Amino acid sequence: MRLAGKKVIALVDDEFEDLELWYPVYRVREEGAEVHLAGLEKDKTYMGKYGVPATAEYSWDDLDAADYDGILVPGGWAPDKIRRYPAVLKLVRDFNEAKKPIGQICHAGWVLISAKILQGVTVTSTPGIRDDMENAGAIWKDEAVVTDGHIISARRPPDLPPYGKAFCDALAGE
């Protein structure tokens, strides 16, 4: 249980990519970390692209990055909604400034773009947003997982096993 005592936020909104939320959440939990789901509205149930529900335990407005050790941003269509909220962007910027692990997969890069934290950062994402990532100043690579400091990125669901491990390693300080 190398992550015992660690706390992680996982962002949710409607049309998150089901596997890209739940696989990392369970992967981090199985190593002993506590994961809280956070959405625009506390206690609201959000539906994934394929119908898997996720109920927010917290509202984004109620969270402080200082109380957590890492953040997970799933892909799907949710990132295009999530990135429109100043509370989320502040949260992501606060994690970035504190150099705490930020995990993003697939379209989740949109949230990091809107938080304006990708200048000079080496990342990956779904190829569909490669131009967006590069236009935000990122150095994009077509690899399963890219870790640049505290930012861990992956392309899509087939990359979940190495992504989950890389995020857990970063949380553990390895």
Side-chain angles (χ1 to χ4, degrees), residues 65-66 68 92-101 150:
Y68 289 86
V92 170
R93 283 193 293 270
D94 289 349
F95 274 97
N96 187 58
E97 288 171 19
K99 305 288 188 232
K100 293 180 180 180
H150 61 286

Side-chain angles (χ1 to χ4, degrees), residues 41-117:
E41 297 176 45
K42 178 182 177 177
D43 297 324
K44 179 178 177 182
T45 298
Y46 297 91
M47 295 305 290
K49 284 172 54 178
Y50 303 105
V52 178
T55 301
E57 301 158 286
Y58 294 89
S59 166
W60 302 321
D61 293 322
D62 299 333
L63 299 175
D64 186 337
D67 297 331
Y68 289 86
D69 301 291
I71 188 168
L72 289 164
V73 186
W77 304 126
D80 194 33
K81 300 170 192 175
I82 290 171
R83 72 189 200 162
R84 300 173 195 190
Y85 294 94
V88 170
L89 301 181
K90 180 185 182 318
L91 201 58
V92 170
R93 283 193 293 270
D94 289 349
F95 274 97
N96 187 58
E97 288 171 19
K99 305 288 188 232
K100 293 180 180 180
I102 299 171
Q104 66 96 10
I105 183 168
C106 202
H107 287 84
W110 280 335
V111 176
L112 281 63
I113 288 168
S114 293
K116 300 188 181 345
I117 65 166

Side-chain angles (χ1 to χ4, degrees), residues 121-125 130 134 138-146 153-155:
V121 177
T122 302
V123 294
T124 193
S125 67
R130 175 183 180 167
E134 290 177 336
I139 301 155
W140 191 88
K141 292 190 175 188
D142 187 13
E143 296 177 7
V145 175
V146 174
S153 56
R155 296 175 300 195

